[in-house]
């Protein structure tokens, strides 16, 4: 085992100004899930996203997806379609509301939801007696999905989109920012994301009325009365004002973080172009702009059946460098083994041959040369 310090896949990267806002929270005694930092953080996000967005900050991206499903009226036994190649937090909230998840394969350009397989899934639901209540799309590893094609299918059948852009703050498609593609969009500020509040998330909504509704639901759904009065079920999901202070400090450097992650991508691109068997996840054309939150590579040798990606992961591990297989598709998870699945085997194939590489905005030149050495030596031997 290497005695060098660990290189992480994606670790928090503070600006230095977070404590200023956290201190303000303490000075004003706003140690609560409301206050000036929550309001300020929401405003910062709205300004960044543009497009007349209305942001409701909550305690996690998972909570935001849960509330999005509640707001779209998803109930027991309702169908909800979800991209299969994603992190479990995209799909778990479907179970929270008692819905039936239907998973859809990826296409090879963006690794995100395949518009054709999506249409098959919608037709299946209709044939089973009801239209799906929502489609959960994902901008995986920061890459926008085929926004126009997917939207066209969703609109043809009148099904709303919940866009999971937990990984994609700072990305865009045809100049429009990730986090504005869905009828409701979702962001995450978990510790591993491009910016963090330690834990946190947000719903991005199209109208102030919807934002009010999201805030109402996330603060226990209290009716307007002097006593505690409730007509519907609420949740305790609002973001802490202390955590929102971290978010405000992070928003000051978001543009810089995007630039740094994109520089990591350029660095990996230069390394991997030398090796025919490696295919890095890259923007398919100029319509796509990725924050390159995580760089992921598919490693394939036609003549070899062994998993090269696992071998590379072992090689990194020996040098105390974290890498990770791609997110295991939901339709292959024991938790979802009864869920219908549409598509072929792109997601599965990516999972078996893909590897996520260290991609933090805080990677140093020394870190990068350690990573590069592992890759170069690996290809010498394989
Ligand atoms: C991180 C993540 C989430 C969940 O966000 P949390 O804030 O950790 O709850 C949801 N979807 C995807 C794709 C993610 O990567």
């Amino acid at each position: 085992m290497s005695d060098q310090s660990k290189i992480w896949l994606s670790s928090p990267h503070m600006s230095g100004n977070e404590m200023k806002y956290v201190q303000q929270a303490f000075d004003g005694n706003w140690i609560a899930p409301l206050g000036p930092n929550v309001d300020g953080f929401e405003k910062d996000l709205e300004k960044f996203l543009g497009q007349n967005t209305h942001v409701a900050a909550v305690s996690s991206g998972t909570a935001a997806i849960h509330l999005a499903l509640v707001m779209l009226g998803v109930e027991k036994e309702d169908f909800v379609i979800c991209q299969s190649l994603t992190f479990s937090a995209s799909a778990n909230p479907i179970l929270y509301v008692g819905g039936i998840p239907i998973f859809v394969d990826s296409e090879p350009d963006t690794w995100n939801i395949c518009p054709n397989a999506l249409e098959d899934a919608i037709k299946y639901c209709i044939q089973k007696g009801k239209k799906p209540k929502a489609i959960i799309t994902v901008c995986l590893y920061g890459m926008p999905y085929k926004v126009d094609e997917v939207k066209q299918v969703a609109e043809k059948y009148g099904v709303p989109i919940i866009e999971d852009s937990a990984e994609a703050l700072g990305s865009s498609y045809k100049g429009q920012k990730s986090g504005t593609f869905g009828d409701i969009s979702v962001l995450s500020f978990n510790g591993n994301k491009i910016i963090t509040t330690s834990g946190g998330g947000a719903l991005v909504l199209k109208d102030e009325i919807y934002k009010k509704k999201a805030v109402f639901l996330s603060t226990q759904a209290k009716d307007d009365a002097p006593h505690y009065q409730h007509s519907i079920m609420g949740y305790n999901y609002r973001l802490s004002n202390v955590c929102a202070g971290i978010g405000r400090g992070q928003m000051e450097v978001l543009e810089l973080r995007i630039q740094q992650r994109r520089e990591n991508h350029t660095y990996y691109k230069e390394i991997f172009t030398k090796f025919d068997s490696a295919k890095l996840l890259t923007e398919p054309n100029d319509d796509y702009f990725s924050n390159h939150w995580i760089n992921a590579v598919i490693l394939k040798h036609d003549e070899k059946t062994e998993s090269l990606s696992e071998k590379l992961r072992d090689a990194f591990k020996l040098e105390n460098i974290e890498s990770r297989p791609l997110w295991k598709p939901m339709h292959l998870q024991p938790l979802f083994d009864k869920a219908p699945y549409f598509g072929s085997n792109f997601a599965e194939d990516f999972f078996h041959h893909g590897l996520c590489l260290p991609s933090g905005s805080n990677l140093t030149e020394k870190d990068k040369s350690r990573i590069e050495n592992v890759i170069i030596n690996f290809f010498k031997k394989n």
Side-chain angles (χ1 to χ4, degrees):
M1 197 55 151
S2 160
D3 55 3
Q4 302 211 67
S5 62
K6 178 146 181 171
I7 299 175
W8 299 93
L9 204 61
S10 177
S11 67
H13 188 181
M14 295 298 105
S15 72
N17 277 335
E18 290 81 6
M19 282 305 289
K20 180 182 84 187
Y21 295 103
V22 171
Q23 190 62 48
Q24 284 172 15
F26 276 71
D27 292 344
N29 206 28
W30 286 104
I31 313 298
L34 79 167
N37 282 339
V38 175
D39 298 341
F41 184 46
E42 287 176 343
K43 284 217 176 66
D44 290 346
L45 287 164
E46 286 166 359
K47 193 168 157 223
F48 178 81
L49 294 170
Q51 304 268 337
N52 293 318
T53 45
H54 301 268
V55 172
V58 293
S59 53
S60 72
T62 312
I65 296 172
H66 186 188
L67 286 184
L69 291 167
V70 171
M71 288 182 72
L72 292 175
V74 181
E75 291 175 346
K76 206 162 176 275
E77 314 266 281
D78 282 338
F79 293 126
V80 177
I81 294 174
C82 183
Q83 177 169 323
S84 186
L85 186 65
T86 187
F87 182 61
S88 64
S90 304
N92 277 337
I94 303 169
L95 302 183
Y96 301 172
V97 296
I100 301 169
I102 314 271
F103 292 111
V104 172
D105 200 7
S106 295
E107 42 76 18
D109 295 336
T110 70
W111 302 10
N112 289 312
I113 196 162
C114 168
N116 298 331
L118 168 62
E119 183 156 15
D120 291 343
I122 297 175
K123 283 181 181 159
Y124 164 87
C125 297
I126 292 169
Q127 199 200 333
K128 285 276 165 189
K130 47 186 175 182
K131 229 166 59 172
K133 278 276 178 76
I135 300 161
I136 301 173
T137 58
V138 184
C139 297
L140 198 73
Y141 304 133
M143 188 64 69
Y145 57 91
K146 295 196 165 173
V147 176
D148 287 345
E149 287 91 330
V150 169
K151 202 170 174 179
Q152 207 180 355
V153 175
E155 281 176 354
K156 180 172 167 190
Y157 295 92
V159 185
I161 290 175
I162 298 172
E163 173 208 352
D164 178 353
S165 266
E167 302 176 356
L169 181 61
S171 302
S172 57
Y173 174 81
K174 294 186 176 172
Q176 187 183 337
K177 292 230 159 61
S178 289
T180 66
F181 305 149
D183 293 273
I184 300 177
S185 298
V186 166
L187 302 171
S188 165
F189 312 108
N190 192 36
N192 60 346
K193 300 296 173 5
I194 188 162
I195 62 162
T196 183
T197 58
S198 74
L203 293 101
V204 185
L205 302 144
K206 303 268 184 234
D207 195 293
E208 186 64 23
I209 294 169
Y210 299 137
K211 171 174 172 173
K212 285 214 170 85
K213 180 83 191 281
V215 171
F216 172 75
L217 287 170
S218 70
T219 52
Q220 311 282 24
K222 295 178 200 121
D223 293 343
D224 191 12
H227 55 278
Y228 285 139
Q229 170 89 14
H230 307 273
S231 305
I232 62 166
M233 187 169 76
Y235 304 84
N236 185 7
Y237 277 171
R238 196 74 164 127
L239 182 64
S240 154
N241 189 64
V242 178
C243 295
I246 304 173
R248 291 180 84 183
Q250 289 272 278
M251 282 304 287
E252 293 182 3
V253 290
L254 175 56
E255 292 288 0
L256 179 61
R257 296 291 176 265
I258 297 163
Q259 194 190 319
Q260 288 162 328
R261 298 241 178 198
R262 286 178 60 83
E263 280 166 11
N264 288 341
H265 180 70
T266 307
Y267 151 82
Y268 279 118
K269 218 162 147 178
E270 279 165 11
I271 298 175
F272 282 111
T273 47
K274 298 179 203 132
F275 307 107
D276 292 340
S277 55
K279 189 185 173 291
L280 200 63
L281 173 61
T282 52
E283 294 146 342
N285 58 52
D286 287 348
D287 290 342
Y288 296 84
F289 179 92
S290 174
N291 68 3
H292 290 299
W293 172 62
I294 292 280
N295 288 282
V297 69
I298 307 274
L299 297 174
K300 259 190 174 172
H301 253 314
D302 292 340
E303 66 275 22
K304 287 185 187 166
T305 48
E306 62 189 327
S307 171
L308 279 182
S309 55
E310 274 304 284
K311 274 181 105 172
L312 180 56
R313 194 168 69 84
D314 288 340
F316 277 132
K317 208 169 162 189
L318 280 175
E319 295 303 319
N320 207 16
I321 297 168
E322 185 186 23
S323 63
R324 191 184 283 272
L326 300 202
W327 299 181
K328 184 174 181 179
M330 292 303 113
H331 73 282
L332 302 177
Q333 299 284 357
L335 173 64
F336 294 115
D337 66 353
K338 299 215 167 44
Y341 170 70
F342 290 85
S344 55
N345 55 2
F346 285 110
E348 189 167 350
D349 198 48
F350 293 155
F351 170 63
H352 286 306
H353 300 282
L355 195 67
C356 295
L357 306 161
S359 298
S361 48
N362 48 9
L363 287 181
T364 64
E365 287 309 312
K366 184 164 167 272
D367 293 338
K368 286 185 182 173
S369 69
R370 278 174 62 195
I371 294 165
E372 183 164 354
N373 280 337
V374 172
I375 298 171
I376 303 289
N377 286 329
F378 175 81
F379 279 105
K380 271 186 198 150
K381 290 189 220 135
N382 288 283

